[in-house]
Amino acid sequence: LGAPRELHCILAIAENAVSDRATRPDDVHVMYSGRTVEVNNTDAEGRLVLADAVAYACKHIPEATTLIDMATLTGAQGIATGPRHGALD
């Protein structure tokens, strides 16, 4: 593309699907970074994959100087800003 710098894009995509393997309240997940997370809000799947994507980027692209998060995280934004205001995450 002729850009003066490299650009890396990591897609952290979550799907809200119901199954017998779905996350339940109080489940504990081991994240990509090795840390464990107790899930108290099952609407947190976007935040969980975002955390994994950031950890992945830090490990595999150590020369990066800037990280831009373009997540929607709509559940959390609706609570934070209310039904009539938008938010930029």
Side-chain angles (χ1 to χ4, degrees):
L1 297 172
R5 296 194 174 134
E6 284 188 26
L7 174 66
H8 299 264
C9 179
I10 299 169
L11 300 175
I13 301 170
E15 179 183 17
N16 291 325
V18 178
S19 79
D20 59 337
R21 297 183 61 211
T23 297
R24 293 181 172 88
D26 300 323
D27 280 356
V28 176
H29 291 278
V30 179
M31 303 297 289
Y32 181 82
S33 66
R35 291 181 180 237
T36 55
V37 176
E38 180 180 359
V39 177
N40 293 315
N41 180 347
T42 56
D43 190 36
E45 71 284 344
R47 286 164 265 184
L48 294 172
V49 296
L50 176 60
D52 275 349
V54 170
Y56 180 91
C58 291
K59 181 176 180 178
H60 294 283
I61 314 168
E63 68 278 5
T65 58
T66 304
L67 177 78
I68 300 172
D69 163 15
M70 297 181 69
T72 57
L73 304 180
T74 53
Q77 287 181 356
I79 293 168
T81 63
R84 296 186 180 184
H85 301 281
L88 179 62
D89 184 17

